[in-house]
Amino acid sequence: MSSQANFDQNFKELKNRLKLISDADPDQYHNDHSITRYLKAFKTVDAAFQAILKTNKWKKEYNVAELTEEHPTIKNNLALKKARVLRHRDMQGRSVIYIPAKNHSVNDREIDELTQFIVFCLEEASKKSFEDVIDNFCIVFDLKNFSLTCMDYPLIKNIIWLLSRHYPERLGVCLIYNAPTVFSGCWAIIRGWLDENTSSKVTFVNSEEDLCQYLIPDILPTDM
């Protein structure tokens, strides 16, 4: 059996399993695109099925549905310009999460609240995805005016965990823009936490000309 035929068979089995529980509880429903992402990320039907159930449980316990622009934590972090899901898309049609590192200080943040805000951004970017065309998103870390006080390893670990456990295969590309020399030491540590697939999606962009390969520079905010 070819690898594609095997994947198609596993997809059908996983979809049937999920239908049994979503018929009883509609909140457990995942569409075909989501099922495909979980199966690609977790490889086997059993592992993907368990991962989906864990995500469903986590979203309920974490009150993800309540993380809207009116939520106090979200409203505060939007006002502080910690990150933004942009109105425009990248060259591939992906939704874009823009994160200006200069607006962050590891010494002046509450990790749980900031993680809630990251979940909000991941949810917004996911909702903006044209899944029939491309179902992953672009994250831009703008390191202009970066200093070591901006480097928040616990938060980066949380982002990696969220992407791998609850938003699998959602990351299409991660652009590291305007990285100063001092960031090379930080990247050596972060790269060790990434699997090969995720690491391959990280691209350092050092000029506006290079950035144009991925998105039109004019879509990046000038008010953050």
Side-chain angles (χ1 to χ4, degrees), residues 194-214:
L194 303 176
D195 59 37
E196 186 177 344
N197 179 51
T198 303
S199 181
S200 69
K201 297 175 181 179
V202 178
T203 300
F204 282 77
V205 179
N206 298 314
S207 70
E208 195 169 281
E209 183 179 354
D210 290 339
L211 186 63
C212 286
Q213 298 177 43
Y214 300 94

